[in-house]
Structures are given as C-alpha cells and as structure tokens.
Amino acid sequence: MNLLLGPILILVGMFLLELLTIRLPGSGVLFEKLKAKINPQGYVGALLLGILFALSFCPTSAALFFGSLLPLALESQSNIALPAIYGLATGLPVFVFAILLGISANRVAKAYNHILAFEHWARKITGLVFILIGGYYAWVNIFSPFIVEN
C-alpha cells in the first residue's frame, strides 16, 4: 500500500487543483431534467433534490475518501476513527449551512460568498499539500530504494 499511497495522493491533489477533470457526457442535462421533474413535488421533491445535489458533489468527496482517507486509515490501523471523523467533518458544514439557511436568506448569501472564497483557497492549498506529501511518499517508497549510496 505504501507504493500506491504517493501516486494516489498526487492524483487526488491534481483533481483538487483541477489539473485533471472527469467530464461525463450528458450528466448536466440529466440533472437539469431531474430537477425540473422534482421541483414541484414539495417536501419529497426537496429531499430528492437534496440527494441530487449531494450526488453532484460526490466525485470530489469520493476521491478524497477512497483515494486518500481509506489508505491512511488502513496504514494507521484506524478502521473506524478516521472515516468517522471524516464523516462528521464533511457533515458539519452541511449542518452549519442549514442553520444559516434557517436564520436568513440574505445572511446566507453573504456567508456563502465567504465560504466560496475560503473553499477556493482551501481546495488549492489542500491539493498542493496532497501533491507534496504524495511526492514525498513516492520518493521515499518508490524511488529511494534505487538510489545507491557510495
């Protein structure tokens, strides 16, 4: 697993920096058609629309979870703690955002703009850190055994 951890972290970092993207043909059109059908359905439609929006954010979350968190959890022999912390940490912004939504739509719009600015830089910094750590792991586990000392 140590041999794979470096390249995986580099790939995840490249996805976070948007150096690599996966574009599925027609996926945007499908989501728009589903949204148009779900919107007039009331609370059930709101639930389904929320699930639809959650699925639209899934690629980044899945890349982080399966690409970096699970290998780290397996390496540190923390089968439950790290995924549980990840689940709580990824659910916490949703919870906070729901509270903000309940308080005021105007305040949410302002907070959302701040969150977007923070998210942009946080994603860039996290992607850079992943690439650096992945490069370190690749150097230590893949390339350094080939270096012969005199």
Side-chain angles (χ1 to χ4, degrees):
M1 194 65 195
N2 284 338
L3 295 175
L4 294 176
L5 187 58
I8 288 172
L9 285 174
I10 291 171
L11 285 174
V12 170
M14 291 175 76
F15 276 111
L16 289 174
L17 291 175
E18 296 175 355
L19 299 174
L20 296 175
T21 57
I22 297 176
R23 299 190 192 276
L24 300 175
S27 62
V29 175
L30 175 66
F31 285 139
E32 289 300 320
K33 287 180 182 178
L34 285 173
K35 187 169 72 170
K37 288 181 181 179
I38 292 172
N39 204 15
Q41 301 299 323
Y43 289 118
V44 174
L47 173 68
L48 294 175
L49 192 59
I51 291 170
L52 181 67
F53 285 147
L55 288 175
S56 69
F57 293 112
C58 185
T60 300
S61 182
L64 288 173
F65 186 79
F66 292 109
S68 63
L69 181 72
L70 285 183
L72 288 174
L74 291 173
E75 183 177 312
S76 66
Q77 297 178 356
S78 173
N79 296 334
I80 295 177
L82 286 178
I85 292 169
Y86 178 83
L88 291 174
T90 55
L92 185 63
V94 174
F95 180 71
V96 169
F97 203 74
I99 289 173
L100 289 174
L101 188 61
I103 293 172
S104 167
N106 187 22
R107 290 183 182 172
V108 168
K110 291 178 184 177
Y112 184 71
N113 290 335
H114 293 295
I115 289 171
L116 279 180
F118 172 77
E119 184 270 339
H120 172 76
W121 290 108
R123 187 171 16 96
K124 299 289 184 195
I125 292 169
T126 304
L128 184 63
V129 168
F130 275 25
I131 289 174
L132 291 173
I133 293 172
Y136 170 76
Y137 272 109
W139 178 259
V140 168
N141 294 314
I142 298 173
F143 299 116
S144 66
F146 296 111
I147 299 175
V148 178
E149 294 184 23
N150 291 333

